[in-house]
Amino acid sequence: MADPTSTSCLFCRIARGELASRSVYEDDELVVFHDIHPAAPVHLLIVPKLHIDSLISVEPEHQALLGKMLLLAPRVAQEQGAADGFRVVVNNGPGGGQEVFHLHIHVLGGPRPWRQMSIGR
Ligand code: AMP
Ligand code: ZN
């Protein structure tokens, strides 16, 4: 479901500024903040202000928003210190290891070692 104003959703609340985050970027459609339990020296979450549960529920109307999220990844990765590359991860649904059911892109980078994430948990 794409619900523009989910009152209880954690990332909707962060996007509205009701809950604190270590924000690194904001525009009219997206927020980017540090993951509270980083799995790598740089671990950012790119989050649309529009509530979308996951990629399972995206529609053609979200195409531009999804492209914008991916285009932002190299910029924020580099700005936050992932100088020599980064990884993007999107967990979708319980079977995909998703824990917060508001679409987000993980951006991971920085020197190894990294904590294992998203695989086998
Ligand atoms: P996922 O498993 O893909 O749904 O990932 C959710 C991510 O959100 C996890 O990496 C959590 O550490 C992160 N997270 C949960 N609560 C917060 C919060 N309040 N601020 C920042 N990141 C959070
Ligand atoms: Zn939400």
Side-chain angles (χ1 to χ4, degrees), residues 22-54:
R22 287 180 58 213
S23 175
V24 300
Y25 176 90
E26 178 171 6
D27 66 24
D28 56 335
E29 293 181 302
L30 303 178
V31 289
V32 184
F33 49 87
H34 289 273
D35 195 293
I36 203 164
H37 294 126
V42 177
H43 187 171
L44 305 169
L45 301 174
I46 301 178
V47 177
K49 290 184 174 179
L50 178 70
H51 181 92
I52 303 169
D53 287 349
S54 74

Side-chain angles (χ1 to χ4, degrees), residues 3 6 9-13 49-52 101-102:
D3 169 2
S6 179
C9 169
L10 178 66
F11 286 176
C12 280
R13 296 188 67 200
K49 290 184 174 179
L50 178 70
H51 181 92
I52 303 169
F101 289 86
H102 178 130

